[in-house]
């Protein structure tokens, strides 16, 4: 089975492999500070799902630190001045805060010549018209993605995970973002307690019918991480966790529903090993990816 991977999309567009720099905007989240709720989504760690980003540094130092980590993976055959990066603001809600400060931050990021694009993780209920207009203008200079953590279309599940907004809020944000010419990447979690495989596929089918066609999707394996509400639930009443072969099967079902032009940004995702409670097999990234690729190739 063929699908459009993020790696292939970037290579086709920029002529080389492009690497992500994990950065922090310093934002919080309305689901943590009491504006909507406290504690965040039940699966979210203290790092706000951005555990691999450097925090407490100014932007220039963050970029230098992130490049140092990433460059260790880049072939020495690619000269430093030819390397390309996507700036990724992942942790918490990166359009929730002082908009003037955030706009200046995003503008400074794309002014780096080696940074070819900007990816901003946020919530659909934290996108003002002014911010969308600003990002739409940035998108004319360099590629801008807005990443939304939908996770599920099912309201009972949304309440369970403490998402804090209803599906129509997502639909409205999607329309406003795409009307502004922005590319949207949607996150879906596979394996939330109480959801069947058919429930997951229904979420993916919904995303497959969006107009305009969805630019990108992240299929994320549910991780149980230390220090989360999900970990408390798992300890009190252990719920079903996918085995690797089961996860491959549900990913295969999802891929069959996704439009061929939609970029697959992620098939599983990483959880910090020091925080990972379950599934432990997900900590062996090489095994996971080799098994998944082998399975998908046979579809």
């Amino acid at each position: 089975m063929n699908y459009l991977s993020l790696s292939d999309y970037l290579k086709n567009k920029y002529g080389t492999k492009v690497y992500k720099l994990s950065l922090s905007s310093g934002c919080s989240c309305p689901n943590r500070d009491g504006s909507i709720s406290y504690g965040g989504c039940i699966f979210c760690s203290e790092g706000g799902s951005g555990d691999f980003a450097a925090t407490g540094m100014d932007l220039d130092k963050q970029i230098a630190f992130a490049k140092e980590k990433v460059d260790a993976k880049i072939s020495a055959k690619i000269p430093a001045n030819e390397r390309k990066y996507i700036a990724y603001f992942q942790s918490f809600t990166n359009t929730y805060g002082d908009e003037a400060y955030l706009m200046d931050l995003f503008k400074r990021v794309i002014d780096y010549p080696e940074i070819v694009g900007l990816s901003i993780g946020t919530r659909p209920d934290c996108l003002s018209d002014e911010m969308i207009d600003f990002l739409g203008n940035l998108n004319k200079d360099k590629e801008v993605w807005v990443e939304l953590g939908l996770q599920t279309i099912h309201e009972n599940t949304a309440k369970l995970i403490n998402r804090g907004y209803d599906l129509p809020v997502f639909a409205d944000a999607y329309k406003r973002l795409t009307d502004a010419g922005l590319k949207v990447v949607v996150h879906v979690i596979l394996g939330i307690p109480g959801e069947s495989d058919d429930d997951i596929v229904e979420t993916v089918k919904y995303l497959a019918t969006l107009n305009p066609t969805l630019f990108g999707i992240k299929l994320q394996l549910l991780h149980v991480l230390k220090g989360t509400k999900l970990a408390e639930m798992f300890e009190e009443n252990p719920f079903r966790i996918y085995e690797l072969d089961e996860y491959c099967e549900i990913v295969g079902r999802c891929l069959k529903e996704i439009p061929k032009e939609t970029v697959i940004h992620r098939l599983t995702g990483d959880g910090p090993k020091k925080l990972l409670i379950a599934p432990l097999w997900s900590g062996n990234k090489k095994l996971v990816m080799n098994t998944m690729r082998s399975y998908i190739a046979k579809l």
Side-chain angles (χ1 to χ4, degrees), residues 51 69 95 98 145 207 260:
D51 299 283
K69 290 201 299 183
T95 58
D98 183 333
W145 309 336
L207 294 172
K260 294 299 182 184

Side-chain angles (χ1 to χ4, degrees), residues 138-163:
L138 280 190
N139 189 53
K140 296 174 184 177
D141 295 326
K142 290 185 179 178
E143 190 165 9
V144 177
W145 309 336
V146 177
E147 302 204 18
L148 301 177
L150 176 65
Q151 320 307 358
T152 180
I153 62 167
H154 303 289
E155 296 301 338
N156 287 341
T157 311
K159 290 177 182 176
L160 173 70
I161 65 175
N162 196 37
R163 190 179 67 190

Side-chain angles (χ1 to χ4, degrees), residues 5-7 9-10 13-14 18-20 85-89 94-95 106 110 116-122 127 135-136 138-139 142-148 177 181-187 215-218 263-265:
S5 70
L6 176 60
S7 178
Y9 167 82
L10 292 170
K13 183 160 187 174
Y14 298 105
V18 180
Y19 292 82
K20 281 189 176 180
Y85 309 90
I86 297 284
Y88 183 26
F89 290 94
N94 294 284
T95 58
F106 299 147
I110 68 163
V116 297
L118 172 63
S119 184
I120 301 169
T122 189
L127 286 161
L135 295 177
L138 280 190
N139 189 53
K142 290 185 179 178
E143 190 165 9
V144 177
W145 309 336
V146 177
E147 302 204 18
L148 301 177
L177 289 164
L182 291 158
K183 295 181 172 70
V184 178
V185 182
V186 178
H187 297 211
F215 163 69
I217 189 169
K218 286 186 173 180
V263 181
I264 310 300
H265 285 237

Side-chain angles (χ1 to χ4, degrees), residues 57-234:
M57 299 181 185
D58 67 27
L59 181 64
D60 294 334
K61 289 181 179 178
Q62 281 195 62
I63 290 173
F65 179 78
K67 284 176 63 178
E68 183 179 348
K69 290 201 299 183
V70 166
D71 284 354
K73 306 174 185 177
I74 300 178
S75 170
K77 295 179 181 179
I78 304 176
N81 63 350
E82 294 181 11
R83 297 173 183 178
K84 294 180 172 62
Y85 309 90
I86 297 284
Y88 183 26
F89 290 94
Q90 179 181 14
S91 56
F92 300 111
T93 304
N94 294 284
T95 58
Y96 180 64
D98 183 333
E99 289 198 341
Y101 164 77
L102 291 170
M103 290 175 182
D104 178 68
L105 188 72
F106 299 147
K107 179 66 170 64
R108 286 171 59 200
V109 164
I110 68 163
D111 283 344
Y112 279 77
E114 68 271 31
I115 292 178
V116 297
L118 172 63
S119 184
I120 301 169
T122 189
R123 294 170 57 91
D125 53 356
C126 293
L127 286 161
S128 69
D129 291 340
E130 292 76 15
M131 178 59 77
I132 290 176
D133 288 343
F134 172 79
L135 295 177
N137 285 324
L138 280 190
N139 189 53
K140 296 174 184 177
D141 295 326
K142 290 185 179 178
E143 190 165 9
V144 177
W145 309 336
V146 177
E147 302 204 18
L148 301 177
L150 176 65
Q151 320 307 358
T152 180
I153 62 167
H154 303 289
E155 296 301 338
N156 287 341
T157 311
K159 290 177 182 176
L160 173 70
I161 65 175
N162 196 37
R163 190 179 67 190
Y165 66 84
D166 296 330
L167 187 59
V169 176
F170 166 83
D172 174 70
Y174 185 80
K175 183 179 188 307
R176 292 189 296 127
L177 289 164
T178 53
D179 283 351
L182 291 158
K183 295 181 172 70
V184 178
V185 182
V186 178
H187 297 211
V188 178
I189 292 181
L190 284 59
I192 298 172
E195 282 212 338
S196 67
D197 288 0
D198 288 344
D199 290 333
I200 294 168
V201 172
E202 283 182 25
T203 291
V204 173
K205 284 183 176 179
Y206 167 84
L207 294 172
T209 63
L210 289 174
N211 185 24
T213 301
L214 180 63
F215 163 69
I217 189 169
K218 286 186 173 180
L219 302 176
Q220 170 72 56
L221 168 67
L222 179 77
H223 290 109
V224 181
L225 301 179
K226 296 176 183 177
T228 64
K229 178 64 176 177
L230 188 68
E232 294 177 14
M233 294 168 56
F234 188 67

Side-chain angles (χ1 to χ4, degrees), residues 2-17:
N2 293 321
Y3 62 90
L4 180 56
S5 70
L6 176 60
S7 178
D8 287 342
Y9 167 82
L10 292 170
K11 282 183 181 178
N12 291 338
K13 183 160 187 174
Y14 298 105
T16 186
K17 188 172 178 63

Side-chain angles (χ1 to χ4, degrees), residues 221 223 244 268-271 273 276 279-292:
L221 168 67
H223 290 109
L244 178 53
T268 174
D270 297 322
K273 290 183 180 179
L276 184 64
L280 291 177
W281 56 260
S282 68
N284 189 338
K285 187 174 181 179
K286 184 175 182 180
L287 169 67
V288 172
M289 294 311 301
N290 286 341
T291 304
M292 293 187 69

